[in-house]
Amino acid sequence: MGLILLMIAGAAIFAYWNAARAAAERAEQLGRNACEAAQVIWLDQSVHATGMRLRRNEDGRLGFERTFRFDYSYDGVERHSGRLVLRGEQLVSFVGPVKPTVVPFERLN
């Protein structure tokens, strides 16, 4: 009986670790793509998990919402932090570099 419980606990720990690793890889991919699209330097080539909490998904099931931080630079000198939140593998929040755009100026008459 004790061996079965140990195996169940081991399987649960492995499933949690595997899901956390997959979320970190997805966050890394999203952070890298955002920096590339905004034409900024992605620093440290990694993301850092900063938080995790239980949240309901769109289907009503409980799941983990994980928050990650990454660093980027516009000029290679100043360092800025970006943040993204994943619920499962879905991106639900992003704060970070944006692609520079030019807004045309309109004269008021």
Side-chain angles (χ1 to χ4, degrees):
M1 183 68 169
L3 181 60
I4 292 174
L5 292 176
L6 185 62
M7 289 175 66
I8 291 171
I13 291 170
F14 177 75
Y16 170 78
W17 176 82
N18 195 33
R21 195 67 241 142
E25 289 174 3
R26 175 78 172 135
E28 185 176 316
Q29 178 186 29
L30 291 169
R32 183 183 310 114
N33 290 347
C35 289
E36 186 176 303
Q39 299 173 348
V40 299
I41 303 166
W42 186 44
L43 301 175
D44 304 330
Q45 286 73 43
S46 65
V47 295
H48 308 280
T50 59
M52 181 178 69
R53 62 183 177 169
L54 282 174
R55 297 290 291 212
R56 293 208 180 269
N57 296 330
E58 277 76 33
D59 61 0
R61 294 175 148 187
L62 279 178
F64 289 115
E65 182 178 271
R66 292 178 169 91
T67 304
F68 295 92
R69 182 184 62 80
F70 64 97
D71 293 327
Y72 63 95
S73 176
Y74 288 103
D75 56 6
V77 177
E78 293 184 6
R79 193 175 194 94
H80 303 278
S81 288
R83 185 180 76 102
L84 51 94
V85 179
L86 295 176
R87 194 173 299 147
E89 288 200 10
Q90 181 182 7
L91 179 67
V92 294
S93 175
F94 178 82
V95 176
V98 294
K99 185 174 183 175
T101 58
V102 176
V103 178
F105 179 73
E106 294 181 21
R107 289 184 177 242
L108 297 175
N109 293 335

